[in-house]
Amino acid sequence: MVRAINGGPALPTAKPPRPYEKGVDERPTLIQNVETLAHAAWIHINGAAAFLEEGTRNSPGTALFTILDHHGDCTLIEAPLGMKLIELVELAGIDHHEVARVLLGGWFGGVHGQEVLGLEACFTALKVAGSGLGCASITLLGVNEDVRAIVAALGAWYADETANQCGVCRNGTKSIAKALFNNANGQATDTDLENLARWGTTLTGRGACAFIDGAATLARTTVAVISSKQFMEPRAD
Ligand code: SF4
């Protein structure tokens, strides 16, 4: 955004400097989402100590959780960071027994089996688990949903939406999309699955922004999910 305002292409730059160090017209520039600015206003009125009373030590405060369920219904909940994902799901009025898989962080935190619902919904716990809270968007997939087709569609989205600026992202997203497509069509070779698992770690952190990290996390977690003992193909009915 800063680069575009300064007259350049709307593409991420190498960091540092970050915008708060040198941004619009080379001056320190704050870029925050509305939720963060709302927190800042709340803290200004109520004080930092009150904010720290909510959430966990490493992830204080609250977050706006967007929960999209397998019926297509969407619920927005403000809740303290650190609540169990399963508690958020129940708060949204969803029976967790109907949840087969979970996409986290939009889908930048990858796809997971329903056992992930036992984790705390906070930045720290999900990062330790190899995922991420990201924008706090949680998508629940039911037992009848074809997770292979869904992750293949997400892989294609990464390949379409890459800014094509970094070679590792331009080529990596396309390779991941191809392997996920093969997986969805029952044509994945052992090499496809080995590549997905490997790219899931080797590509992380290699781009000018975190976009390729999201594709890598999807690749890695997809292999983990479909290799899981609990993995079931969608029911035919
Ligand atoms: S990592 Fe991908 S999306 Fe990010 S700047 Fe590089 S090419 Fe663009």
Side-chain angles (χ1 to χ4, degrees):
M1 198 185 299
V2 167
R3 198 170 171 191
I5 292 170
N6 284 339
L11 294 172
T13 53
K15 294 173 260 315
R18 291 188 172 272
Y20 67 81
E21 297 165 315
K22 195 190 273 190
V24 173
D25 293 337
E26 306 221 322
R27 301 174 69 168
T29 304
L30 280 181
I31 302 176
Q32 303 294 348
N33 65 30
V34 172
E35 187 178 0
T36 304
L37 294 175
H39 283 320
W42 194 93
I43 291 167
H44 178 70
I45 293 168
N46 297 289
F51 187 77
L52 291 169
E53 284 174 12
E54 299 280 8
T56 68
R57 187 155 177 244
N58 291 322
S59 298
T62 63
L64 284 173
F65 293 93
T66 310
I67 304 175
L68 179 67
D69 70 23
H70 50 294
H71 301 299
D73 294 326
C74 193
T75 308
L76 186 70
I77 298 176
E78 183 180 13
L81 288 160
M83 280 184 80
K84 292 270 173 69
L85 282 163
I86 195 168
E87 294 175 298
L88 287 169
V89 167
E90 298 288 347
L91 260 182
I94 300 159
D95 180 356
H96 73 270
H97 295 101
E98 295 181 5
V99 177
R101 250 80 62 174
V102 183
L103 291 162
L104 292 172
W107 45 80
F108 279 66
V111 62
H112 304 270
Q114 62 96 41
E115 66 279 1
V116 79
L117 296 179
L119 295 180
E120 291 180 348
C122 69
F123 296 104
T124 317
L126 294 183
K127 186 173 180 188
V128 167
S131 178
L133 185 66
C135 59
S137 167
I138 301 161
T139 302
L140 308 172
L141 307 180
V143 289
N144 289 327
E145 291 181 273
D146 185 347
V147 69
R148 294 177 191 266
I150 290 169
V151 295
L154 296 177
W157 179 84
Y158 278 109
D160 284 345
E161 293 296 326
T162 171
N164 285 313
Q165 183 174 235
C166 315
V168 71
C169 185
R170 184 173 59 240
N171 299 321
T173 52
K174 286 175 180 54
S175 298
I176 288 170
K178 179 77 169 50
L180 291 176
F181 175 83
N182 290 346
N183 181 52
N185 289 286
Q187 297 165 346
T189 61
D190 288 347
T191 305
D192 281 326
L193 299 181
E194 285 162 16
N195 282 340
L196 285 169
R198 194 180 70 257
W199 295 329
T201 53
T202 55
L203 300 187
T204 301
R206 301 269 308 278
C209 76
F211 190 80
I212 184 61
D213 300 7
T217 301
L218 184 70
R220 175 170 45 76
T221 55
T222 295
V223 175
V225 161
I226 63 175
S227 308
S228 148
K229 285 201 179 81
Q230 283 97 31
F231 182 74
M232 290 184 298
E233 299 291 351
R235 291 200 294 246
D237 52 343

